Amino acid sequence: TALSRLLSCVEDDPLQSYLRGSLLCELLALLAMQYRRHRLHAMGTASGTASYVPGLKRYLAIHYGTDISSSSLEEMFHCNFDHLNRVFKKATGDTIFATLNRIRIENAKKYLATGLYTCNEVAVKCGFHDVYYFSRVFKKMTGTTPAKHKNCQYINSRSK
């Protein structure tokens, strides 16, 4: 483990010092992740699974650009995904993945408005690994394609 490797690095040469530093960072990251999981689990068991909803909303808002699957959510929140999704929908009126797509598209609109990124880059930044699926979801939610949205934003910013 990271701790045993950290303790085995006792020499004073610069490479060992660098290795100790990186192992210490790895150990702290693991501890932070364990602590977060423990807190989420404690929140859920203390007051029922409805308390997962605020944490889940925050998680989606922060990690929308990463791969989020039902199994990763089950592991993170220590709860069956179908049950978690039912509780989430009851509390918010929408499913977890519908909420995730809404968050992704809202962020995609912001990225497109900057004019700095291509549609492909925006799709990847927002957690879509298939640009065609991204375009389909974007059009369904906004009524326009990402490329048209980007062009409209560019034209509007130039006319100011």
Side-chain angles (χ1 to χ4, degrees):
T1 65
L3 181 58
S4 61
R5 288 186 306 193
L6 179 64
L7 293 174
S8 69
C9 295
V10 291
E11 295 181 27
D12 283 333
D13 74 31
L15 184 58
Q16 291 295 325
S17 176
Y18 174 75
L19 181 60
R20 274 193 307 274
S22 66
L23 289 172
L24 186 57
C25 287
E26 181 183 346
L27 181 62
L28 289 173
L30 289 170
L31 286 172
M33 188 176 0
Q34 287 298 100
Y35 176 74
R36 179 180 166 91
R37 285 183 179 161
H38 172 73
R39 294 268 306 156
L40 288 170
H41 183 66
M43 281 178 19
T45 56
S47 58
T49 53
S51 66
Y52 283 132
V53 174
L56 183 52
K57 283 176 151 181
R58 271 192 312 279
Y59 182 81
L60 296 176
I62 293 168
H63 299 283
Y64 68 89
T66 64
D67 285 334
I68 297 176
S69 66
S70 55
S71 59
S72 69
L73 292 174
E74 282 180 336
E75 182 181 328
M76 177 63 71
F77 290 91
H78 302 284
C79 186
N80 174 276
F81 177 77
D82 293 329
H83 178 69
L84 190 61
N85 201 33
R86 273 192 304 278
V87 169
F88 188 86
K89 184 168 183 164
K90 185 176 181 183
T92 66
D94 225 341
T95 66
I96 292 170
F97 287 114
T99 301
L100 177 60
N101 277 342
R102 185 181 43 73
I103 291 167
R104 285 176 167 171
I105 296 303
E106 288 303 314
N107 282 285
K109 290 191 307 190
K110 292 174 189 174
Y111 281 120
L112 290 169
T114 68
L116 299 173
Y117 305 101
T118 66
C119 291
N120 287 345
E121 290 170 331
V122 171
V124 171
K125 282 183 168 299
C126 293
F128 293 97
H129 297 290
D130 179 355
V131 72
Y132 300 107
Y133 178 65
F134 165 64
S135 294
R136 198 165 63 236
V137 172
F138 192 95
K139 185 169 185 172
K140 182 178 180 183
M141 292 185 153
T142 66
T144 187
T145 65
K148 285 182 183 175
H149 182 81
K150 181 179 178 181
N151 290 335
C152 288
Q153 294 300 315
Y154 178 73
I155 290 168
N156 288 340
S157 69
R158 299 258 316 171
S159 64
K160 288 182 180 180

